[in-house]
Each structure stands twice: as C-alpha cells, then as structure tokens.
Amino acid sequence: MDFVTPIITPIVESLLGPVKRHLGFLVSSSNKVKYMSARLAELNNIARDVEEQKERHDANNLVVPRHVPDWLKEVNAISVKAENIPTGRLGCFNIKMRYTSGKRSSCIVNDTDRLMTEKSNIKWTVEKRPLAKVSSNKASTSTLIHEDDDGTQSILKSSRDLIFNNALISLESNDNKARMMALSGMGGVGKTTMMEQLEKAVEDKKTFEWIVKVTIGKNHNPVDIQTTIAERIGEPLSEKDKDTRADRLKERFQRMSEEGKKNILIILDDVWEKINLKDIGLSSPLLNGFKLLLTSREEDICTQMDIKSNLIFKIGVLKDEEAKKLIWETVRLGSSSDIEQLDMHQIGEEILKICGGLPLAITSIASTLRDKEKFEWEDALSRLQNKKVDDYGIKEIFKISFKNLKEDDLKAIFLLSGLFPEDSNIQKEDLLRYGWGLNFYQSVRTIAGARRRVNTCVNKLIRSNLLIKSDCEGSVKMHDLVRDFVLSKFSVVKQASIVSNDNNFSDLLEEDEPYERLLLKCGSMLQFPIHFNHKNLKLLKLMDGDKLLRFPEDFYTSMKKLEVLSYMNMHQPLLPQCMTNLRALCLRSCLLVDNDVSILGDLISLEVLNLAGCGIHKLPSKLGNLKRLKLLDLTGCVDLYIDNGVFENLNQLEELYMGVCQGSCIRFSDTNCDELKIVSRKLFALELEFFNNKAQPVNVSFENLERFKISMGCLLEKRWRWGDNKGNDSFKNTLMLETSSSELRECKINQLFRKTEILKLIKANDMSYLEDILIHPPQNAFCDLKELSIINSEGLAYLFTISMANGLRKLEKLLISACSVLQYVVNGENSEAGVVTFHKLKFLSLYNLPNLVSLCAHVNVTELPQLMELYLDGLPNHTIIFPKNNTDISAVKPFFNKEVMIPKLEKLKIARMKCRSLSEDDEPKPCYTNPLASAESRLASKPG
C-alpha cells in the first residue's frame, strides 16, 4: 500500500485547502475584519493624497493620468462595500454572519492590495492639459440656456428649444451619418449664441473628451487656423508649409482616433466660405469618434461642405409675438391704455416689421428708445423706413443706434472699438490709452477721470447692444455685424482693420482713401511697403509681425499728424523720433534693438508711454525730457536700471506701473528713491514691489492713490500675460504684504485699506487680530475688500470682531493658512450683536490651523448666504461640522456652533480632521472629501 500514499496525500491536501480557507473565514472573522479596516484606512489615506494631487493638477491645467478618476471611483466603491460589513463583536453561534464577514473582508483586502499596487504605477507629470481637453472636474448642470440680465434668453428660449434639442441629439448620437452638422442663419440671429449653449451642454455632460473651437471669420488664414487647432490639442506645429502642417494635424487626429480617444468635437464658428477640411487635417468622411459643428450665415456654404440638409439647423427670426415681447420688455413700455402709449405701441409694431424679427436688431433699436418721447420714436421709424432688413438694412439699424449716442466720446469709443481685430477681446485699458492720445476726453483733466469715463461709456454701449460682455475681465467684444458697420462708416471717421496673409498690404488698402486710423496685422510680411503714404493718419497699430519684418527708414516721414502709435508682439519695431503730435506710444511685448529707448526722449508731446514686456534693462535719463508724460507703464521690465533724474523731471506723471511679478525687481538707486518720494505725491496709480531693492514704503506717499498694486517683502502675483489678447486684463487694487503690523502702521500704507480689493498678509506675527494693522480703526475700514488671505501669522488669535465681519459686505473669498494660535475667525465677545453675516462670501478655505476651536465664538447665528465652496484641512479639534440644537458643544467640538445658514453650498472638502460625519444626525463614515449635491437643501435648513 506504500505506493498509494504519494497519490492520495496531494489529493487530500488539495481538497483540504479550500476547506481550511473557508473555515478561516469563520474562525478568524474578527481578525480579518480588523485587518480589512486597517488596510482600508491606509488606502483611504493614499486616496486623499491622490485626490489632492488631482485637484492641484486640475487647478493648474495639468494633465491628470487617465486612470486616476477610475481608480478613485474604485476606492470609493470599496469603502461603500466595507460599510456594510459588521465591525462589532459577533456571537460564536452566529455562524453565517461570522463566515460572511470574514469572506467579504478577505475579498476587500485583496481589492485593497490590488489598488495599492496600481497606485504605485500612477505617474504624475507637469504636462499642460491642452485647451481643447474637457476638464475632468467639470460639474454637470441641467441648465442649458441661461437668462441674460435683460431677459433676452428667456424670451428666445421658447422659439429655439426644438432647434436646440434636435442639434443636441445629433451631437450626442452614435449615428455615423450624423457626423457633420451646422447652424445657419442671417447675421445677428443667434447662431454663435446657440453654438455656445450646445458647447456648454455637451461639455457639462462630458459627451466629448475633446472640444476644439476655432473662430474662422471673414478673411481667414488657413495657417492661423492650423496654429489655433494645434495649440488647443497641445501639439504646436513647427513646420512652415501649409500642406505639411495639414499632414501633421491629420497624423495627430488619426492617432487620437486609433488610441481610442473618441468623442472629439471640432467647432468652426463664423464660416464665410467653403473650408477645405484637408487644410485642417480632417477628411471626409470624418474619422471614427469625430464630429464637426459649424456656424455660417450662408446655407450654401454648409451644403458645399457636404453637410446633409437634415443636419443644417436653420435658425430663423422671431415670431411676431416673441418679437413684440422682446421689444416691450427691452424698452420697458407699459400697457397701451392711454393715447400716447397706444401711439408708441403702433410705432413699435412698425419698427418690428422693419427689423423682421432679428433679435440683435430689435434689442439694438429698442435700447435706444428706452425712456424716449413719442417724437423720438417717430424719428427713428422715419429713418428706418428707407431700407429693408437686408445686410444694408441691418447697417441702417446700427446707424440709428449710433446716432442715438448723445455724447461725442461715447461715439468715439464705439468707433474705436471697431478697429480691433475680428472676434478679439477689446481691453478697456487700450480704449483709454488710445482715446487719450486721440484727445477723446476733453471734459476731464486726469487719466483717472478718463478711465472712469471709459468705463461709463463701455457700460452704456453694452446696454445699447453695440458692445458685448467678454469672459475676460477688463475686456469687451464687438459683434462682427456691428464691426462691419463701424468699418463702413467712412463719413464719420476713415479707418480700416487689415489682416495680411501674404507679403503685402497693397491689395488691401485703397491708396486714395484718406485713412485716419489703421490696424495692420502683419502676419508673414517680411518687408513693409515702401510707398506707405497716409498723411492723414492719427492712429497706427501694427501687431503680430514676423521677426524678419523690416521697415523703410522714411516710414514716418508722411505721418505728421500721427497722435497714437502702437506696436504689439513685434520684433524690432521702428522707433519714432521728433514727432511733435504724438501723444501716446505703446510698445507692448516687443523686442527692441539694443534695448535702447533713448530716442524716445525727443517725443516731447508724449503723454502715454507703454513699454510693458519689452525687456528693456535701462530707463535712460533722456526720458526725463518727456515733461508732459502722464502715464508710464514698465510692467514686466525685469532687472531694470533707472538713470538718475528721470523721475525728477516727470512732474506731470499721474500713473506709474513697475511690477515685474517674476524675476528680478527694478533696481533703485538712492537718488531714484528720493525722486520717487517726490513724484509719488502726485500719483493716482502705482504698481510697485518693495522687494530686493532700495525702495522703502516709508518714503512713498500713498495718500492720493486710487489705483494700485503694491507688495512689501514679496513679488506681486502674475494675473495675466502681456501680449495675450485672450487673457484677463483685470486690474484690482491689490496689497501683498509680507511684513509686521508695526511696519505697516509706520509706512501708512493702511491709508489704502478702504480702497483695497485684494489683501494678502504674510508673516504678520505681531498681529493679534486684523484691526492691529490699523492706526485708528475706522468704520468700514475694508469696505471694498473682495479677497483676503492670511498666511503664517503666528500671533493671530482671531481675525474679526462681529462689527468688522458684518462690514465686509463685498468679501467673496477668504483664505486663512498656517496660523498656529488662531482660535476663531470671528470673536463676538463683548458684542451685543449675536448675528454674523458674510453677505457675498463664495469661497472659504481654512488650512493647517491646529488650535482652531470654531468658526465663530460668542455668536448665535452665522449666515453665509452665498457660500458655494468650503475647504477645511488640518483642523484637528473638530469631530463634526454641524451640531444639533441643545448640543453640548464642548463634547462634540463642531466647526459651526449653534445656528448656521448655508443655502448655496455646492462643494465641501474635509481633510486631515477627526471628523467622521457632517453632523450628529449622520451615520459615522470617512469624510475627507464630500462634494455636496443632494445634501444641499439639508445643509441649508439645518439649524446647527
């Protein structure tokens, strides 16, 4: 029988193995559950780190490894499974429950080990996320069409729903026959608006992984379109030949399709003629996963591009009732009960007939008739009746809107806005500086007064539907139809905006036309025309020139009347000299020959000089000859040396911008500092960094400043990129102060607090609470404050009193970090008021505050009516966020004490805290990150 043993033993062992494993589930159930909990806690800690890294990458537009979102979802799913496993002691005779707990715990441990191994394979990089890549953290929304301030969208929504829904269904469809579609209709009917709504809808739903949007325009250049597409997908083109570049894009698109990067939407907006898809790397039919959406005024263009007729969505004019509702709500005219109102209603209906239901035309005319008398309505109708609403009729409509602009400077700013490139962001600061050079603002004496006037005029033009709000702060846009009208108005001002796609402007400029203003995008031009004789020119703007472009030596000879000269993104611009009428010179983001600007000292009439981003290293003494200079912009001029005597002679200077934001600051000599002390007494605007230089704030006067960006002990933050028309040009009054409160009081910079919009305090260690930095705490000391950051202030015990907190009526963002002894944000001790209200606070972040007891102390009610995001990280003293009524606060240690109102909270993040639930009503569970969706109404109504 000995020969049987070697055979039987393996068989028995193989049969006993599963039995032993299953017995282990039963016998060692408690140990397996404990081991699962430990491993899961370790995994959750790792997941927190991954989540935070993902948020940092999203915030900085960096690529997040593709499998990270799915990995986090798996971690969350395992945590949910683990919650259903009993963790308490199970009776010895509860065999089924013990066996199930042990088995499920073992499975979760296996999954946990697998996920930890996968985590080690996640590789984070600093690769930038392409602009066309749909962000992984986009929040979904059910709202597809938003209502504008004037209610227009709500009126148009009813007549456009069917078109919108059909177009959206086609975009979301997997039907290969519905890969190309178009929105078609006349100018001003709302094609681009609906395209943007469709884009937002599919972006919110994450229907597409990539959305590449390009504005084509009337005079498009295929090479520029190729460049835009390449930049948006994150693969810039180095080739020069158009066909080679197209082949490179085609290869990239093919890889995207083959790699499984499906659902790629290409949007071509404002197409005026047939686009050869091969020029932009596309083929017909489109590759798998690709879809194309275009907008065009011409239906024939859509047909020529092989878009099927059933996929050309025609956006028509408004129906009669919709048009009436739009005009009456725009002019705010009451009922037709009395005779005069009845007459105006009849006139309005005649105007509607001429407008033909075109939304842009209706709102443009109606806004000019708001609060006008009957005879003005009759006059408007009389002028409209001369032409029908074709292309020329539309221009006539804008002509009426233009004639209803009463102020000369309002008209002037409107016409100047039309000179900027098609579909560009028009920076209001450019309107100010060019307008000052053209002497628009004769009723004001200072640059500050002119800026207020520009802002007033721009707002009026937006309300008149002649300008459009831009997504970029500090900028506006102009509808291409309105721009066409402006550039056709030669009877008012002779101006032209030209884009060169070759090496000459000759075919684009009419030699006999006495142009007064010209904008020329130089493109690939290498030699400027020799015979460029426009002796009536008052404004010339040259931009985006090739590095090899050269100008004739006598370029300025015939330009005796030139008042404004602007170069932008130009290599080696030809600097002017001895031009007696030149009042504004802008050299933005240009490379200057030898970085020498001495020659500019001969421009004795100059009042505005912009050298931002030019890279000059010396401001020569000869510029002291510019005794009329009112605005000097040296932003981004790194490591700049200033000759003695420059500031001393600029006795008319009102605005001085010298922030570098990165690199070496401006080098001040002792003499420079003495001169700055004198000139600062007259300044209305100052941008300056007191950092790594001899300039001292105690020697500068801040008394008259209305506009400022000032830092002490650190560099200013870079908020926009010079020369980038797509970036924000927002200027908010900013103080970034890395110093003690005693030094702040000594230099009297706290005189600016009432006007400050952004305040960042760093290492103010001798500050016990915010009022310490004030000399005499006035009422509403920070009345304009919108953003406040307090960092590394070791002596801070609390931040606000109740009265100060309630006075921050404009505060939108509050960040407090690394304040080791901070106990409360608001301390209501010795105050009769028991209610704290942060009226406009939308974002609150508290980070690394080891001694924080609660948000507010000695406060009965905390109101946060606008708060949408709440981040709590490194607050070890809190076990819950919201207490119940009549709770012993000392026992549960809530973040909010007593009653709190947060009706709009959308996102809550909790990290490195002992908090395991939101409130005592919740089941205990890990709560390191918690975006609130369904809980929103519960948090709004919860009293504590």
Side-chain angles (χ1 to χ4, degrees):
M1 297 295 290
D2 290 342
F3 74 92
V4 176
T5 301
I7 299 174
I8 296 298
T9 300
I11 296 175
V12 172
E13 289 178 350
S14 66
L15 293 175
L16 287 176
V19 174
K20 290 168 63 179
R21 186 171 66 254
H22 285 281
L23 284 174
F25 295 154
L26 175 62
V27 175
S28 302
S29 173
S30 297
N31 292 333
K32 291 184 180 295
V33 171
K34 289 179 182 179
Y35 183 66
M36 174 204 71
S37 299
R39 293 293 286 167
L40 192 58
E42 186 177 350
L43 178 64
N44 282 331
N45 287 331
I46 295 174
R48 281 195 290 272
D49 294 338
V50 173
E51 178 72 28
E52 290 173 1
Q53 184 70 36
K54 175 181 175 294
E55 290 176 356
R56 285 195 292 270
H57 270 54
D58 284 331
N60 293 302
N61 284 323
L62 299 178
V63 172
V64 174
R66 175 176 292 186
H67 50 286
V68 164
D70 291 335
W71 187 88
L72 289 170
K73 287 180 181 177
E74 278 201 70
V75 173
N76 187 61
I78 288 176
S79 297
V80 172
K81 288 181 181 178
E83 290 177 358
N84 296 323
I85 297 177
T87 57
R89 296 181 61 86
L90 298 174
C92 296
F93 299 101
N94 197 343
I95 296 175
K96 180 178 180 181
M97 183 64 73
R98 290 176 61 85
Y99 171 83
T100 302
S101 298
K103 182 178 182 181
R104 290 169 64 185
S105 298
S106 295
C107 292
I108 288 177
V109 168
N110 292 336
D111 289 338
T112 300
D113 292 340
R114 174 179 57 81
L115 287 172
M116 287 184 176
T117 302
E118 291 178 2
K119 159 61 178 66
S120 63
N121 296 325
I122 296 176
K123 305 298 181 185
W124 298 96
T125 69
V126 293
E127 179 185 354
K128 281 287 185 181
R129 179 172 59 84
L131 294 175
K133 188 79 165 64
V134 176
S135 175
S136 61
N137 65 343
K138 277 283 182 182
S140 297
T141 175
S142 59
T143 304
L144 301 183
I145 299 182
H146 302 282
E147 183 174 343
D148 291 341
D149 292 339
D150 60 0
T152 303
Q153 288 299 334
S154 62
I155 297 168
L156 303 186
K157 183 176 182 288
S158 59
S159 66
R160 308 295 171 94
D161 270 352
L162 182 60
I163 300 171
F164 178 90
N165 291 332
N166 287 339
L168 185 60
I169 290 171
S170 298
L171 283 172
E172 296 177 332
S173 169
N174 292 322
D175 186 356
N176 289 333
K177 296 180 180 179
R179 291 185 179 177
M180 298 172 59
M181 59 210 71
L183 304 176
S184 180
M186 67 185 302
V189 82
K191 303 181 296 296
T192 298
T193 299
M194 183 171 290
M195 176 272 292
E196 290 171 345
Q197 293 167 350
L198 288 167
E199 180 190 8
K200 186 179 189 311
V202 296
E203 187 175 11
D204 286 344
K205 292 183 174 183
K206 301 182 180 64
T207 306
F208 295 94
E209 188 176 349
W210 297 75
I211 300 178
V212 185
K213 183 172 71 173
V214 185
T215 300
I216 304 300
K218 195 170 185 179
N219 298 310
H220 74 276
N221 180 1
V223 174
D224 288 343
I225 298 173
Q226 292 172 341
T227 299
T228 302
I229 293 175
E231 288 178 348
R232 290 187 175 277
I233 62 176
E235 291 200 6
L237 299 172
S238 58
E239 296 82 3
K240 301 296 182 183
D241 179 68
K242 183 188 73 173
D243 293 336
T244 305
R245 292 159 64 91
D247 290 341
R248 187 71 66 204
L249 284 176
K250 182 179 180 180
E251 291 174 3
R252 171 58 174 150
F253 287 147
Q254 286 176 336
R255 288 202 310 272
M256 293 171 74
S257 180
E258 292 168 359
E259 291 170 0
K261 294 181 179 178
K262 296 184 178 180
N263 300 328
I264 301 160
L265 175 62
I266 309 291
I267 299 176
L268 304 179
D269 186 32
D270 196 20
V271 178
W272 285 73
E273 59 186 42
K274 180 181 177 181
I275 300 293
N276 187 347
L277 295 182
K278 291 183 179 179
D279 286 345
I280 57 176
L282 296 175
S283 58
S284 184
L286 296 177
L287 295 168
N288 289 334
F290 279 71
K291 290 209 172 188
L292 176 70
L293 171 66
L294 64 84
T295 70
S296 178
R297 298 183 186 186
E298 298 290 337
E299 187 176 346
D300 288 345
I301 299 298
C302 307
T303 304
Q304 291 170 22
M305 293 185 66
D306 297 327
I307 298 177
K308 296 180 180 180
S309 57
N310 66 317
L311 294 175
I312 300 175
F313 301 99
K314 302 172 187 176
I315 303 177
V317 296
L318 299 177
K319 298 177 182 178
D320 288 345
E321 291 305 315
E322 294 168 342
K324 289 178 183 179
K325 184 177 181 181
L326 179 58
I327 191 173
W328 302 139
E329 290 195 3
T330 305
V331 299
R332 300 170 187 168
L333 192 65
S335 63
S336 56
S337 55
D338 59 68
I339 299 298
E340 185 169 358
Q341 291 277 354
L342 179 61
D343 290 343
M344 293 169 77
H345 271 269
Q346 291 175 345
I347 297 170
E349 291 185 8
E350 291 299 317
I351 290 175
L352 285 176
K353 291 179 183 178
I354 299 173
C355 291
L358 186 67
L360 187 62
I362 294 171
T363 54
S364 296
I365 292 295
S367 61
T368 67
L369 296 176
R370 187 179 297 159
D371 301 324
K372 296 296 189 295
E373 297 184 24
K374 176 184 173 182
F375 68 85
E376 293 175 285
W377 285 63
E378 293 173 335
D379 180 59
L381 176 59
S382 176
R383 282 184 283 169
L384 274 171
Q385 286 173 334
N386 294 326
K387 292 183 180 180
K388 296 180 180 179
V389 183
D390 51 16
D391 274 350
Y392 296 99
I394 294 172
K395 289 179 181 178
E396 183 64 22
I397 289 173
F398 290 119
K399 182 178 180 180
I400 294 173
S401 297
F402 174 75
K403 286 189 174 182
N404 273 280
L405 300 177
K406 302 302 181 184
E407 300 91 345
D408 290 339
D409 53 0
L410 187 61
K411 292 181 179 179
I413 290 173
F414 169 65
L415 295 176
L416 180 59
S417 300
L419 190 64
F420 288 77
E422 186 177 51
D423 198 47
S424 66
N425 289 304
I426 304 166
Q427 295 175 1
K428 289 188 282 187
E429 192 66 14
D430 283 342
L431 294 176
L432 163 74
R433 298 180 184 188
Y434 297 166
W436 185 272
L438 294 169
N439 203 24
F440 284 177
Y441 319 112
Q442 298 182 14
S443 61
V444 296
R445 295 183 178 182
T446 65
I447 297 288
R451 184 176 289 105
R452 287 191 289 269
R453 185 62 191 152
V454 168
N455 290 332
T456 299
C457 290
V458 165
N459 287 342
K460 286 185 178 180
L461 291 170
I462 290 174
R463 290 195 295 269
S464 297
N465 292 290
L466 293 175
L467 288 179
I468 306 169
K469 292 181 180 179
S470 170
D471 291 336
C472 297
E473 283 191 80
S475 298
V476 291
K477 302 188 81 169
M478 178 176 276
H479 192 282
D480 54 1
L481 194 61
V482 182
R483 182 174 176 273
D484 290 344
F485 161 75
V486 171
L487 294 178
S488 70
K489 285 200 61 60
F490 266 179
S491 60
V492 176
V493 59
K494 300 170 178 60
Q495 61 183 21
S497 183
I498 306 296
V499 177
S500 172
N501 294 327
D502 50 32
N503 199 27
N504 207 329
F505 286 120
S506 303
D507 298 335
L508 303 174
L509 284 174
E510 301 179 38
E511 291 187 8
D512 297 334
E513 289 292 351
Y515 293 108
E516 295 177 29
R517 303 173 194 166
L518 283 178
L519 180 143
L520 306 176
K521 291 190 71 173
C522 299
S524 58
M525 176 182 291
L526 301 181
Q527 181 64 46
F528 211 86
I530 297 176
H531 302 293
F532 186 77
N533 299 316
H534 297 283
K535 60 183 180 180
N536 290 316
L537 270 184
K538 293 185 177 181
L539 182 152
L540 175 63
K541 180 171 183 176
L542 303 172
M543 58 189 301
D544 301 338
D546 191 280
K547 63 181 179 181
L548 299 178
L549 176 62
R550 296 295 179 267
F551 297 87
E553 292 183 1
D554 61 347
F555 181 61
Y556 297 113
T557 301
S558 63
M559 303 182 197
K560 304 297 184 184
K561 299 181 180 180
L562 196 65
E563 296 176 336
V564 177
L565 175 61
S566 176
Y567 287 94
M568 181 175 175
N569 295 330
M570 298 287 287
H571 293 260
Q572 299 186 13
L574 185 64
L575 298 183
Q577 58 180 326
C578 299
M579 301 185 71
T580 56
N581 289 311
L582 193 66
R583 301 179 72 222
L585 174 62
C586 299
L587 302 169
R588 193 162 80 191
S589 299
C590 295
L591 296 179
L592 306 180
V593 177
D594 300 325
N595 286 324
D596 186 10
V597 292
S598 298
I599 194 174
L600 303 182
D602 296 328
L603 303 174
I604 58 175
S605 298
L606 208 60
E607 298 184 25
V608 173
L609 177 58
N610 184 354
L611 298 172
C614 284
I616 62 171
H617 298 304
K618 181 180 179 180
L619 201 66
S621 59
K622 195 173 180 181
L623 290 192
N625 296 338
L626 305 178
K627 297 184 182 299
R628 296 184 182 180
L629 198 65
K630 292 181 177 293
L631 186 152
L632 177 59
D633 194 340
L634 303 171
T635 306
C637 293
V638 178
D639 200 27
L640 181 68
Y641 173 79
I642 302 173
D643 275 351
N644 296 336
V646 175
F647 289 145
E648 181 181 19
N649 291 307
L650 301 181
N651 50 27
Q652 298 294 319
L653 196 64
E654 299 175 5
E655 303 199 351
L656 178 60
Y657 303 93
M658 296 189 291
V660 298
C661 300
Q662 62 182 13
S664 300
C665 293
I666 291 177
R667 293 181 289 165
F668 288 99
S669 66
D670 292 333
T671 303
N672 292 155
C673 294
D674 293 338
E675 295 174 4
L676 182 61
K677 180 178 181 180
I678 296 172
V679 77
S680 67
R681 297 169 185 167
K682 299 179 180 180
L683 292 180
F684 293 100
L686 177 64
E687 182 175 4
L688 180 61
E689 291 147 323
F690 296 101
F691 181 61
N692 287 346
N693 54 39
K694 291 185 177 182
Q696 297 297 322
V698 72
N699 294 324
V700 176
S701 173
F702 305 109
E703 185 176 357
N704 295 319
L705 292 183
E706 297 180 8
R707 177 177 165 93
F708 52 86
K709 283 186 179 180
I710 299 172
S711 70
M712 292 174 58
C714 60
L715 289 172
L716 288 166
E717 292 179 351
K718 191 173 184 180
R719 294 207 166 224
W720 71 295
R721 182 159 58 90
W722 289 105
D724 183 2
N725 267 348
K726 298 178 181 179
N728 285 351
D729 181 23
S730 61
F731 193 107
K732 294 180 180 178
N733 287 344
T734 301
L735 294 178
M736 295 183 59
L737 310 172
E738 186 171 340
T739 184
S740 65
S741 60
S742 57
E743 186 175 353
L744 293 180
R745 292 192 299 269
E746 180 183 359
C747 70
K748 299 183 180 180
I749 200 171
N750 46 25
Q751 294 173 342
L752 299 176
F753 288 160
R754 288 179 63 87
K755 304 173 185 176
T756 301
E757 297 173 276
I758 300 175
L759 176 61
K760 188 171 185 178
L761 295 172
I762 307 169
K763 296 182 180 179
N765 294 330
D766 58 344
M767 179 177 70
S768 298
Y769 58 104
L770 192 59
E771 289 186 12
D772 277 351
I773 62 177
L774 305 174
I775 299 176
H776 302 292
Q779 189 69 22
N780 300 324
F782 300 94
C783 55
D784 279 343
L785 194 62
K786 295 180 179 178
E787 298 181 20
L788 174 61
S789 299
I790 310 291
I791 301 171
N792 287 333
S793 295
E794 295 181 358
L796 188 67
Y798 65 92
L799 193 58
F800 308 120
T801 61
I802 287 184
S803 60
M804 176 170 277
N806 288 335
L808 299 171
R809 303 187 71 86
K810 296 183 180 181
L811 187 66
E812 297 178 1
K813 182 176 180 179
L814 175 59
L815 184 149
I816 308 174
S817 173
C819 298
S820 58
V821 301
L822 183 75
Q823 293 185 307
Y824 313 105
V825 175
V826 180
N827 188 352
E829 191 174 8
N830 301 322
S831 174
E832 296 182 0
V835 179
V836 169
T837 304
F838 289 97
H839 299 272
K840 292 189 176 181
L841 190 67
K842 298 178 181 178
F843 176 94
L844 174 60
S845 175
L846 303 178
Y847 175 80
N848 196 15
L849 306 175
N851 285 299
L852 189 74
V853 176
S854 65
L855 182 69
C856 302
H858 308 287
V859 171
N860 296 324
V861 180
T862 303
E863 296 180 343
L864 301 162
Q866 302 297 325
L867 189 68
M868 302 176 70
E869 298 182 49
L870 176 59
Y871 294 87
L872 307 175
D873 188 347
L875 314 181
N877 293 330
H878 304 287
T879 57
I880 63 171
I881 305 300
F882 305 94
K884 292 176 63 176
N885 285 336
N886 303 319
T887 294
D888 183 359
I889 292 177
S890 61
V892 297
K893 297 181 180 179
F895 175 72
F896 293 106
N897 54 9
K898 302 192 177 179
E899 187 174 345
V900 59
M901 183 190 74
I902 316 179
K904 295 185 178 181
L905 188 63
E906 294 180 355
K907 189 170 184 179
L908 170 62
K909 175 188 171 183
I910 303 172
R912 296 188 303 155
M913 293 174 63
K914 298 177 182 178
C915 175
R916 295 185 58 83
S917 61
L918 293 180
S919 74
E920 294 172 283
D921 293 336
D922 296 329
E923 291 294 327
K925 57 185 177 181
C927 193
Y928 60 87
T929 177
N930 191 339
L932 300 180
S934 60
E936 180 176 332
S937 59
R938 175 175 61 82
L939 293 178
S941 60
K942 186 179 290 295

